[in-house]
Amino acid sequence: QKEVEQDPGPLSVPEGAIVSLNCTYSNSAFQYFMWYRQYSRKGPELLMYTYSSGNKEDGRFTAQVDKSSKYISLFIRDSQPSDSATYLCAMTRRDTDKLIFGTGTRLQVFP
Amino acid sequence: DAEITQSPRHKITETGRQVTLACHQTWNHNNMFWYRQDLGHGLRLIHYSYGVQDTNKGEVSDGYSVSRSNTEDLPLTLESAASSQTSVYFCASSEVGLLTPDTQYFGPGTRLTVL
């Protein structure tokens, strides 16, 4: 069983829709939870991170962590075609710099 | 502007050949990482380094080696390329944050095909 599970999609939504992307994990020692965005044929770039449980909002993006359920989410409001990319969740413990990545969910937002 | 670069961007080689992929960062970061990305597996850590002369094995290190002779560069060597090593390779660098997780900055990737 993988430490981090993520539905690969693809997820196809119309412009303006609310998008929900999710990951589950098995290691309760994870403390930092991140979302990376990867455009086609580019390297991943950090979108958001959260520490422990709770919500964090940044513009149209909201990251949510539920440690009791070992479940994290990324919500995208008013989705745009420019949001079309692969979204990877990643997580780590405080005492290590190594990230464990999900497989990524490919999102397509059509006009 | 500081950046991280990889070369070559595309490489086709034959089974059994030695291949070296270059990674260069100008942030002066101590930490550098090599990942491979494959469909269904996501990003998997190959090797990483926390500073000059320091190297460590990651999750999928067999058949790969790295050396760190300066802060800026971490070349990845495939000693004897195999078809199973056909993949997209990403280099990343980071600086440890005391209060926040270190942000890993990724290069643009090298697409390697082993025939």
Side-chain angles (χ1 to χ4, degrees):
Chain A
Q1 183 188 1
K2 292 180 181 177
E3 279 191 281
V4 180
E5 299 277 359
Q6 184 175 10
D7 187 334
L11 184 61
S12 186
V13 301
E15 183 175 356
I18 297 174
V19 175
S20 172
L21 304 166
N22 311 294
C23 288
T24 59
Y25 63 95
S26 57
N27 189 342
S28 58
F30 289 139
Q31 296 172 287
Y32 289 101
F33 305 90
M34 303 164 195
W35 286 96
Y36 280 78
R37 178 175 60 195
Q38 184 178 20
Y39 290 113
S40 181
R41 297 186 180 271
K42 301 285 187 183
E45 56 179 345
L46 182 65
L47 197 57
M48 296 182 70
Y49 78 86
T50 52
Y51 173 69
S52 194
S53 285
N55 291 1
K56 186 172 184 178
E57 190 173 317
D58 184 1
R60 297 184 295 109
F61 298 89
T62 299
Q64 197 171 75
V65 175
D66 181 350
K67 290 196 75 178
S68 61
S69 302
K70 297 191 180 66
Y71 189 88
I72 69 170
S73 301
L74 178 70
F75 298 97
I76 306 174
R77 290 185 300 279
D78 186 25
S79 56
Q80 303 294 309
S82 58
D83 295 327
S84 298
T86 296
Y87 290 81
L88 303 108
C89 63
M91 43 201 80
T92 185
R93 307 189 314 264
R94 182 61 187 95
D95 60 344
T96 177
D97 301 319
K98 291 187 287 183
L99 297 178
I100 307 299
F101 284 87
T103 53
T105 299
R106 188 158 65 91
L107 170 67
Q108 183 170 4
V109 182
F110 55 90
Chain B
D1 284 349
E3 60 177 356
I4 181 166
T5 57
Q6 294 183 235
S7 63
R9 294 295 313 278
H10 301 271
K11 175 79 176 177
I12 299 175
T13 191
E14 295 176 341
T15 301
R17 290 189 180 269
Q18 185 181 76
V19 177
T20 297
L21 309 182
C23 175
H24 179 80
Q25 52 98 2
T26 58
W27 279 296
N28 204 35
H29 285 162
N30 283 325
N31 305 338
M32 295 186 74
F33 308 83
W34 272 105
Y35 295 89
R36 59 178 290 175
Q37 187 173 38
D38 305 284
L39 205 61
H41 290 280
L43 283 160
R44 291 182 291 174
L45 185 63
I46 304 171
H47 281 287
Y48 59 102
S49 168
Y50 289 148
V52 176
Q53 303 300 333
D54 177 74
T55 60
N56 306 279
K57 293 182 179 180
E59 178 188 0
V60 289
S61 61
D62 286 349
Y64 303 94
S65 64
V66 293
S67 62
R68 187 89 180 271
S69 59
N70 59 53
T71 302
E72 297 80 17
D73 299 287
L74 187 69
L76 177 71
T77 297
L78 286 68
E79 302 294 344
S80 176
S83 58
S84 60
Q85 294 176 308
T86 293
S87 186
V88 181
Y89 291 85
F90 288 99
C91 179
S93 72
S94 73
E95 193 64 52
V96 177
L98 291 178
L99 299 177
T100 60
D102 59 313
T103 297
Q104 291 193 17
Y105 296 91
F106 283 81
T110 293
R111 190 171 293 269
L112 176 68
T113 301
V114 182
L115 301 176

